[in-house]
Amino acid sequence: QVQLVESGGGLVQAGDSLRLSCAASGRAFSTYNMAWFRQAPEKEREFVASVRRSGGTIYYADSVKGRFTISRDNAKNTIYLQMDSLKPEDTAVYYCAANSRTVYSDTSTTWYDYWGQGTQVTVSS
């Protein structure tokens, strides 16, 4: 089992930056694949970015590619999402997710077994 706690959300203006953090506790963090998803009001939860347990494989949604950067620090049991050039359409609750699977789809919520409570990001125009 792993527990996930997100932080770093807030209200910013378009073009600003934010860095989200997700702190994990429980079993060895380095054995988990990690990801960020987001959910805007009245929309389905969508994939944002993921990083495999090794840290060597990273994926991004097309909508955030070139603006967001996911990273992990296994020594601190934490992953980060650096969000630059934020747009109003990035407004959503951002969730951290984890699994310990060896075969799965990074972009589907179905394959993640653990979720944080979410942190709100609001980008004003």
Side-chain angles (χ1 to χ4, degrees):
Q1 288 258 347
V2 63
Q3 292 77 44
L4 306 173
V5 179
E6 303 95 334
S7 61
L11 171 63
V12 297
Q13 293 186 332
D16 285 350
S17 298
L18 272 178
R19 189 176 81 155
L20 305 183
S21 300
C22 172
S25 60
R27 279 188 54 201
F29 177 71
S30 62
T31 66
Y32 287 90
N33 307 298
M34 304 295 296
W36 289 97
F37 286 78
R38 67 186 181 186
Q39 188 167 18
E42 300 182 0
K43 291 189 176 181
E44 292 189 355
R45 194 169 297 189
E46 65 174 6
F47 171 77
V48 175
S50 65
V51 55
R52 295 285 178 108
R53 59 172 63 89
S54 67
T57 302
I58 288 175
Y59 297 102
Y60 294 100
D62 288 343
S63 59
V64 306
K65 203 171 293 183
R67 300 188 298 121
F68 290 10
T69 303
I70 188 171
S71 61
R72 66 186 299 158
D73 185 337
N74 287 344
K76 295 183 177 180
N77 287 5
T78 302
I79 66 165
Y80 304 96
L81 186 68
Q82 177 67 40
M83 305 187 295
D84 298 320
S85 303
L86 282 162
K87 303 176 181 180
E89 51 263 45
D90 294 318
T91 295
V93 177
Y94 283 71
Y95 296 91
C96 176
N99 72 48
S100 58
R101 301 170 185 265
T102 55
V103 178
Y104 69 101
S105 169
D106 291 72
T107 63
S108 173
T109 58
T110 304
W111 297 94
Y112 291 89
D113 303 302
Y114 306 100
W115 293 85
Q117 83 289 349
T119 185
Q120 176 72 47
V121 172
T122 303
V123 184
S124 64
S125 57

